[in-house]
Amino acid sequence: MDIGSKIKKSRTDARITQEQAAEALGVSRQTVSNWENERSYPDIVSVLKMSDLYGVSLDYLLKGEASMKGYLDYIEESTNTVKSKARLSRLILVISYLVIWVLNIAASWFFSAGGIAQAQAGAFQWLVLPAATIILSFLIGKNNLWGKRKWLVSIGLGVMFTLSVYAGDGMRESSLFNQLDLQTLTFFLIGTAASLAGMAIGHAFLADEKSRQKSE
C-alpha cells in the first residue's frame, strides 16, 4: 500500500472528512486530496500531525515497503534542502556581520582622521555594531541556527565587539592581549549582553510559533 492510500485509509477509518483534516492540519482540502491521490507528498511535520489526528503509528504510515521508496526519497531530499538552506542562512548572517564589523572600524578611523567630534565618531562604535549584534542574535534565536550551541555565539560576538572597540576607538596602542583589565571586560560584557538579549527575544518568538502550531 502506498503513502497516499495509507493516509486516506487512516482518515476514513478515523471517520474524519477531508475538510476536517485540512482544518486540523492547517492546510487546504485540496492539499489533503493531493496527498491521498499522490499528486504531491506531505512533509514530515504533516505526517506527524496525521499520525496523532488519525490515531495511527508512524510505523504504519512510513513502513518501508517498495511502494514507499518514492516518498522516502522525497523526505530525504526535503531534509537535505532544509539543511542546505540552514547552512546558507548561517553563512549569510556571518558574512553580513563581518561586513558591518569591518565598516564600523573603518568609519571610526575615517571620522577620527577627519577631525569629527569624538561623540559623533562614537555613535558608529556604540550604536551600529550593538544594533547589528542584537539583530543578528535575534535571527539566530528565531531560526534556531546552530541548535543548542547558538548561545555560545554570544561569547564570540562579545569578543568581536571588544576587538572592534580596541581597533576603532583609538585604543590600538593599548595591549588587549597582554593586559585584560576591567575596561576590556566591560566591553566584552556589553557585546555579550547585547547578543544574549537579541538571542532571548528570537528564542521567545520561536517558542511562541511552536506553541501556536501545537494549539492549531
Side-chain angles (χ1 to χ4, degrees):
M1 185 181 297
D2 56 36
I3 180 68
S5 298
K6 288 183 177 182
I7 291 174
K8 183 174 182 178
K9 184 177 186 305
S10 298
R11 178 181 60 77
T12 55
D13 288 348
R15 299 183 184 280
I16 295 175
T17 66
Q18 285 188 344
E19 288 78 6
Q20 292 170 330
E23 183 177 357
L25 297 171
V27 298
S28 67
R29 189 207 62 78
Q30 186 59 48
T31 297
V32 175
S33 176
N34 288 340
W35 291 344
E36 294 182 356
N37 292 286
E38 291 206 5
R39 287 191 289 267
S40 64
Y41 286 127
D43 56 53
I44 191 63
V45 174
S46 296
V47 174
L48 289 170
K49 289 182 177 180
M50 283 188 282
S51 174
D52 289 336
L53 180 63
Y54 300 156
V56 295
S57 67
L58 282 174
D59 182 65
Y60 170 74
L61 290 176
L62 300 178
K63 189 175 181 181
E65 299 172 357
S67 59
M68 292 288 290
K69 187 178 184 302
Y71 178 66
L72 295 177
D73 288 343
Y74 165 80
I75 289 295
E76 182 179 2
E77 182 180 348
S78 299
T79 301
N80 291 336
T81 299
V82 170
K83 288 181 178 179
S84 296
K85 288 182 179 179
R87 284 194 294 268
L88 180 60
S89 296
R90 289 194 292 264
L91 180 61
I92 291 174
L93 286 177
V94 169
I95 291 176
S96 298
Y97 177 81
L98 290 176
V99 169
I100 294 173
W101 187 81
V102 171
L103 290 177
N104 186 64
I105 295 174
S108 181
W109 286 358
F110 174 78
F111 285 154
S112 297
I116 304 298
Q118 185 68 26
Q120 291 174 295
F124 273 77
Q125 195 70 55
W126 294 99
L127 293 178
V128 175
L129 194 59
T133 299
I134 292 173
I135 294 172
L136 173 72
S137 300
F138 169 81
L139 293 174
I140 292 174
K142 185 176 183 297
N143 295 286
N144 199 33
L145 300 178
W146 289 286
K148 294 181 179 179
R149 294 176 295 174
K150 64 179 178 289
W151 300 103
L152 297 176
V153 175
S154 295
I155 297 176
L157 292 176
V159 172
M160 293 297 289
F161 179 75
T162 305
L163 292 174
S164 175
V165 173
Y166 272 80
D169 202 28
M171 294 183 174
R172 291 179 293 281
E173 296 180 359
S174 300
S175 180
L176 171 62
F177 297 102
N178 293 333
Q179 181 181 358
L180 297 176
D181 54 15
L182 181 60
Q183 187 178 47
T184 301
L185 178 61
T186 301
F187 296 148
F188 171 74
L189 291 177
I190 291 173
T192 303
S195 176
L196 287 174
M199 198 85 70
I201 296 172
H203 186 75
F205 268 78
L206 177 63
D208 184 60
E209 286 181 359
K210 289 183 176 180
S211 177
R212 287 201 304 268
Q213 289 175 357
K214 287 182 179 179
S215 62
E216 291 177 352

